[in-house]
């Protein structure tokens, strides 16, 4: 869950101070990567950046898990948690562009077969409200549901769970920002009902495949070169072996935060949004108007699937972070500088991961200002 009020305070500082002397990008990345790794050498870490066009520059290293002698590969895949929300919002924007649904139509019109059981306040919600966390829905389903055995069909599990929830009025009033994974589950269900396909199938066909994000997948990564996530319990930090279960949240929450991918593809996702919002025709993303609409704040700091903030220089920064409590990642876009910055670790360590991304972003922005 993003820490909206405090996370990027350091990078939202004015860049009107005397800029640092120009330095090559590679030493900047290498230095920031080593600093980030030094803070937790027992875990894997990745840090990098890219411009809107051209190859990404990133470094990744560390043991597969705490106590392991095996190193991760450069192309290791990372769980990205709630950064998945930017993918779900993009999918909805694509479907809206195609006329399959609309952001401001009450969702009851797409879920007519459930009208007799659905509370009227749920029926009146819109996809815009769900994607901007302004629907008044509780943050998550009941906690006990996270420990119940899953079925073989995440879409059906998601439908069953939401049907249990929407018989009663929403927990809060619509309009105010209240971060909600439940809202993204419901948005995913609407897409499924309209299309007749699962959220996973839709995301693969409409977004991941057109963008050639070939390393993307669902749940924890499982190859021999991928890191494990890590659980923290009673002061102990232990590896979460993805082959043993309980290495991720249940698959029914997937539209809110279930994706993993290689670090290069994470940066490529940011590059694609920079290009599409900048006016380019990018397969797998909505056109410029739809892309930009995702980055228009609905509340003071959140658009559709993206946190939207402004540096004191007046330039925007678009970002999202994510964690399933066993990993942590952040992706930041600087549209006016055509810059993407990302960081990830296989342990929940928000301060270290995000500080490294902020430091790299600041160095690159200052370097650009000095040229």
């Amino acid at each position: 869950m993003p820490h909206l009020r405090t996370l990027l305070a350091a990078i939202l500082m004015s860049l009107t101070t005397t800029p640092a002397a120009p330095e090559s990008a590679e030493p900047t990345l290498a230095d920031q990567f080593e600093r980030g790794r030094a803070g937790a050498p027992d875990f894997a870490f990745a840090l990098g950046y890219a411009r809107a066009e051209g190859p990404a520059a990133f470094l990744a290293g560390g043991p597969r898990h705490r106590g392991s002698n095996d190193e991760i590969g450069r192309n290791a895949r990372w769980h990205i948690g709630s950064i998945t929300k930017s993918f779900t919002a993009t999918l909805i924007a694509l479907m809206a562009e195609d006329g399959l649904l609309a952001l401001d139509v009450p969702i009851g019109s797409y879920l007519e077969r459930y009208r007799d059981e659905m509370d009227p306040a749920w029926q009146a919600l819109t996809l815009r409200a769900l994607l901007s966390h302004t629907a008044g829905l509780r943050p998550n389903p009941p906690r006990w549901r996270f420990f119940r055995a899953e079925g073989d069909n995440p879409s059906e599990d998601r439908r069953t769970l939401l049907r249990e929830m929407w018989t009663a009025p929403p927990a809060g009033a619509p309009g105010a920002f209240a971060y909600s994974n439940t809202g993204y589950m419901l948005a995913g269900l609407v897409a499924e009902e309209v299309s007749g396909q699962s959220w996973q199938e839709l995301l693969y066909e409409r977004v991941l495949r057109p963008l050639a994000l070939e390393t993307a997948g669902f749940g924890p990564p499982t190859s021999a070169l991928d890191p494990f996530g890590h659980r923290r319990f009673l002061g102990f930090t232990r590896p979460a072996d993805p082959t043993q279960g309980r290495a991720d949240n249940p698959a029914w929450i997937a539209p809110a935060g279930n994706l993993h991918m290689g670090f290069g593809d994470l940066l490529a996702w940011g590059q694609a949004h920079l290009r599409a919002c900048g006016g380019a025709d990018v397969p797998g993303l909505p056109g410029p108007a739809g892309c930009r609409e995702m980055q228009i704040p609905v509340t003071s700091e959140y658009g559709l699937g993206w946190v939207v903030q402004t540096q004191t220089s007046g330039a925007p920064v678009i970002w999202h972070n994510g964690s399933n409590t066993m990993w942590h990642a952040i992706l930041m876009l600087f549209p006016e500088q055509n810059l993407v910055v990302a960081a990830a670790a296989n342990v929940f360590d928000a301060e270290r991961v995000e500080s490294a991304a902020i430091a790299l972003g600041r160095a690159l922005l200052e370097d650009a200002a000095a040229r």
Side-chain angles (χ1 to χ4, degrees), residues 103-112 114-130 134-142 158-174 180-190:
L103 293 174
D104 297 308
V105 170
I107 62 169
S109 64
Y110 303 119
L111 303 173
E112 290 187 2
Y114 304 112
R115 281 195 170 187
D116 290 343
E117 65 187 56
M118 185 184 294
D119 182 88
W122 284 72
Q123 295 184 42
L125 298 175
T126 66
L127 286 164
R128 189 182 303 277
L130 298 178
T134 58
L137 300 182
R138 61 189 296 169
N140 293 294
R158 182 161 44 251
R159 181 180 297 107
T160 298
L161 195 154
L162 286 167
R163 290 180 71 179
E164 294 173 359
M165 298 179 70
W166 67 36
T167 58
S180 176
N181 291 317
T182 306
Y184 270 76
M185 291 170 56
L186 183 52
L189 176 65
V190 171

Side-chain angles (χ1 to χ4, degrees), residues 58-360:
F58 68 92
L59 296 170
R64 287 194 70 199
H65 58 78
R66 191 174 192 178
S68 173
N69 293 321
D70 297 326
E71 290 282 314
I72 66 167
R74 171 178 167 79
N75 294 320
R77 297 173 297 173
W78 304 80
H79 196 285
I80 63 170
S82 284
I83 299 173
T84 304
K85 290 180 173 67
S86 65
F87 287 80
T88 297
T90 297
L91 172 63
I92 297 294
L94 281 167
M95 295 178 71
E97 193 171 68
D98 289 346
L100 298 173
L101 42 74
L103 293 174
D104 297 308
V105 170
I107 62 169
S109 64
Y110 303 119
L111 303 173
E112 290 187 2
R113 62 176 171 144
Y114 304 112
R115 281 195 170 187
D116 290 343
E117 65 187 56
M118 185 184 294
D119 182 88
W122 284 72
Q123 295 184 42
L125 298 175
T126 66
L127 286 164
R128 189 182 303 277
L130 298 178
L131 298 178
S132 62
H133 302 292
T134 58
L137 300 182
R138 61 189 296 169
N140 293 294
R143 184 168 176 78
W144 66 268
R145 295 293 310 220
F146 286 82
F147 301 99
R148 184 175 177 176
E150 296 181 65
D152 296 328
N153 187 328
S155 295
E156 188 58 39
D157 288 345
R158 182 161 44 251
R159 181 180 297 107
T160 298
L161 195 154
L162 286 167
R163 290 180 71 179
E164 294 173 359
M165 298 179 70
W166 67 36
T167 58
F177 179 88
Y179 195 86
S180 176
N181 291 317
T182 306
Y184 270 76
M185 291 170 56
L186 183 52
L189 176 65
V190 171
E192 291 175 326
E193 289 288 322
V194 168
S195 67
Q197 295 177 275
S198 72
W199 172 83
Q200 286 88 340
E201 291 169 337
L202 282 168
L203 195 70
Y204 178 74
E205 292 181 8
R206 298 296 305 268
V207 179
L208 301 178
R209 185 169 61 186
L211 284 168
L213 300 180
E214 297 178 353
T215 64
F218 307 101
T222 58
S223 86
L225 297 178
D226 294 331
F228 289 17
H230 288 80
R231 293 192 194 90
R232 284 180 172 157
F233 184 68
L234 298 177
F236 295 94
T237 303
R238 294 187 175 92
D241 186 340
T243 67
Q244 301 301 313
R246 301 289 185 191
D248 194 10
N249 289 318
W252 43 254
I253 206 170
N258 184 241
L259 279 172
H260 67 251
M261 63 187 59
F263 203 76
D265 276 352
L266 179 59
L267 289 166
W269 176 242
Q271 289 177 291
H273 272 267
L274 286 181
R275 293 197 302 273
C277 289
D281 181 11
V282 180
L285 264 69
C291 183
R292 292 169 191 149
E293 186 171 13
M294 294 177 63
Q295 298 181 3
I296 297 173
V298 175
T299 56
S300 61
E301 292 183 315
Y302 206 95
L304 306 178
W306 291 111
V307 182
V308 182
Q309 291 179 311
T310 304
Q311 304 170 54
T312 53
S313 64
V317 54
I318 313 297
W319 62 276
H320 217 294
N321 60 5
S323 177
N324 64 352
T325 74
M326 298 173 238
W327 304 71
H328 197 82
I330 184 168
L331 177 67
M332 300 188 296
L333 283 59
F334 300 89
E336 291 191 6
Q337 292 84 11
N338 277 323
L339 176 66
V340 180
V341 177
N346 63 335
V347 66
F348 180 73
D349 193 348
E351 182 175 357
R352 177 174 64 95
V353 171
E354 293 170 1
S355 293
I358 288 167
L360 177 60

Side-chain angles (χ1 to χ4, degrees), residues 15-22 365-367 369-371:
L15 294 178
T16 59
T17 55
T18 304
L365 292 176
E366 290 178 346
D367 181 68
R371 293 183 184 275

Side-chain angles (χ1 to χ4, degrees), residues 5-17:
R5 303 280 176 199
T6 61
L7 173 63
L8 293 183
I11 206 165
L12 301 180
M13 63 186 293
S14 172
L15 294 178
T16 59
T17 55

